[in-house]
Every structure is written in C-alpha cells, then in structure tokens.
Amino acid sequence: MSIGTIEVSFMEKNCSCGNSIHITLRTIIFQSKLEIENVPVYSCEQCGSNEVYPIIKEDLKSTISQYEKQEERLTVMFEEKSEIVALLMKHLEYPISMAVFRKSLDERMNELLDMLLLAQTLQDPCWTQDIHRRLAQISEIRLKPDRFAI
C-alpha cells in the first residue's frame, strides 16, 4: 500500500536497471504483526526493485526495535517517529525544490525549539526528550545536506 509518490528532484536516483525512480510512501510489515505506514521507499516501476530511503533507515530500525516484542498486531504511523517523513508528507500535493524543503526544515526546527522551551518550563522530561530526538533528526539534515540528496 502506498499513499503517494513524492516528486522531489533532489531525491531522485537511477535504479540499477537504468530507470529513474522516486520516493514512494509504503507500508512495511515486520513479522506479520507490526505495520509501519508511510515509510519512504525508492520503488522502480520497471523492474520492481524497492529500497528504503537511506537517511531514515536508523529511525526505521529504532521503530522496529521499540515494537518488535509487541504480542498483538500494531500499526505505527512513521511520520510520528521521523521528522523527515512528517515534512515529506506535508509536500505530497506538489513537487518541491531543495530550497522549499530547507525552508520547511527551518520552520519545523523553530516550532520544535518553541515547544522545547515550553516542555522545559513545564518540567516535562519525557516531552523534552522527545523534542530533543526530533531536533537531532532535523539537525542531521541541516548540518549534512549531502546525506539527504542521494
């Protein structure tokens, strides 16, 4: 199941078969009990190959390890675990450039910094930790943009 193809020129790449491929948001099922929706995957319509978008692999591994011991079937929305996916989903409607995406990153970082101040004022350690995790995800992209463009 996929909810859409994201047309982002700086995220395109060529498949080993030579076809140009884009990011598609897919549902990944782990051990028939954990469904992770909206995972960015390079999908080739020509040869059928799929590859998880490299920059979110660590977030995906972390999500799987967080829920792998779960006994009952569970669905997780990946945009709740990955700031990058949340930002990509905001741009499903229309193609974007790197400049537009960077602006979205900056805006989200400012929102998170405001939320961090509030969480610290309220002395909420769980919320503060979650915001730090999200800021780290965005900072990695802002500080190493070469990791984002594949």
Side-chain angles (χ1 to χ4, degrees), residues 92-117:
L92 276 175
E93 301 290 318
Y94 52 91
I96 62 167
S97 66
M98 182 58 126
V100 169
F101 194 76
R102 283 182 195 219
K103 183 177 180 196
S104 291
L105 283 172
D106 291 342
E107 289 170 357
R108 182 60 179 156
M109 185 169 280
N110 287 332
E111 289 173 6
L112 289 169
L113 289 170
D114 289 344
M115 289 174 20
L116 180 61
L117 286 174

Side-chain angles (χ1 to χ4, degrees), residues 16-137:
S16 58
C17 73
N19 191 38
S20 179
I21 55 178
H22 300 276
I23 296 286
T24 303
L25 296 178
R26 302 253 173 172
T27 298
I28 293 184
I29 301 172
F30 180 74
Q31 295 183 346
S32 301
K33 62 181 180 178
L34 176 61
E35 287 186 13
I36 305 172
E37 293 189 7
N38 303 324
V39 177
V41 174
Y42 280 115
S43 297
C44 181
E45 292 178 12
Q46 187 168 321
C47 72
S49 71
N50 293 294
E51 176 189 344
V52 172
Y53 186 52
I55 203 159
I56 59 90
K57 280 184 181 178
E58 290 305 313
D59 293 335
L60 184 59
K61 287 178 190 176
S62 174
T63 300
I64 289 170
S65 67
Q66 181 180 358
Y67 296 106
E68 70 183 338
K69 302 278 191 246
Q70 193 82 16
E71 293 298 321
E72 65 272 357
R73 192 170 177 92
L74 181 67
T75 300
V76 174
M77 305 307 283
F78 197 51
E79 65 270 25
E80 294 174 4
K81 302 294 179 181
S82 171
E83 283 296 313
I84 302 309
V85 176
L87 288 170
L88 287 173
M89 290 189 67
K90 285 176 67 174
H91 297 287
L92 276 175
E93 301 290 318
Y94 52 91
I96 62 167
S97 66
M98 182 58 126
V100 169
F101 194 76
R102 283 182 195 219
K103 183 177 180 196
S104 291
L105 283 172
D106 291 342
E107 289 170 357
R108 182 60 179 156
M109 185 169 280
N110 287 332
E111 289 173 6
L112 289 169
L113 289 170
D114 289 344
M115 289 174 20
L116 180 61
L117 286 174
L118 180 58
Q120 289 172 337
T121 300
L122 295 173
Q123 298 178 346
D124 187 330
C126 291
W127 192 19
T128 300
Q129 182 180 6
D130 182 57
I131 294 169
H132 278 289
R133 179 185 62 80
R134 292 173 182 276
L135 283 166
Q137 290 174 351

